[in-house]
Each structure stands twice: as C-alpha cells, then as structure tokens.
Amino acid sequence: MISKEDAETLKQLSAEEGLKFISSKFSETAVFSTSLGQEDQVITDIIFRNNLPIRVFTLDTGRLFLRTLRIAFTK
C-alpha cells in the first residue's frame, strides 16, 4: 500500500518516472500483471528498457492467439 503523499507524487510523474519511483520504493515486491494489451506493452517496455526491479507476469486465459503466445514467450 502506498501513502497519500506517494500517491500525490505519482500523479505528477510520467509513466517512466512513476515506474522508477515505484521500483525504488518497492524493489523487493513490485509486480506487474500484463494482459499483453497495447497499454501493457508500453509499461512492459518501460520496465525492461530501464532494467527496473519489477517482476512481470501474465495469465494465460485462453483468449490470446497462439502466435501471440509464441512471440511473447520467446527469448
């Protein structure tokens, strides 16, 4: 849980700055759940591009195309 002060700080930050702030405050416990949607791809890119200590996971709901899954889980 974040404090009211941290919530106010986050409102003033860009997405990248906000993720950096979160990862600095919660480096041991920060986790991002992605549905592999467009918005989530942007957030995932920011996390990995900046090597932030935020774990990323997705749930296979059976709604994604097989091709999408192949691309998503190929290194």
Side-chain angles (χ1 to χ4, degrees):
M1 186 112 184
I2 64 171
S3 67
K4 289 181 182 181
E5 294 82 17
D6 287 346
E8 288 301 316
T9 298
L10 284 168
K11 288 180 184 180
Q12 306 302 316
L13 302 176
S14 68
E16 185 171 337
E17 293 167 336
L19 287 167
K20 287 178 179 179
F21 179 81
I22 290 167
S23 68
S24 71
K25 297 279 287 189
F26 305 100
S27 63
E28 298 295 319
T29 58
V31 179
F32 176 63
S33 170
T34 176
S35 66
L36 301 176
Q38 292 176 345
E39 306 87 357
D40 289 354
Q41 292 299 326
V42 171
I43 294 169
T44 302
D45 180 66
I46 293 170
I47 291 169
F48 287 112
R49 186 183 305 256
N50 291 281
N51 199 29
L52 299 176
I54 299 174
R55 292 179 294 155
V56 177
F57 75 95
T58 186
L59 300 174
D60 183 1
T61 61
R63 298 190 63 163
L64 295 172
F65 295 108
L66 184 57
R67 183 174 178 185
T68 302
L69 293 172
R70 284 187 186 133
I71 292 169
F73 299 107
T74 301
K75 288 188 177 187

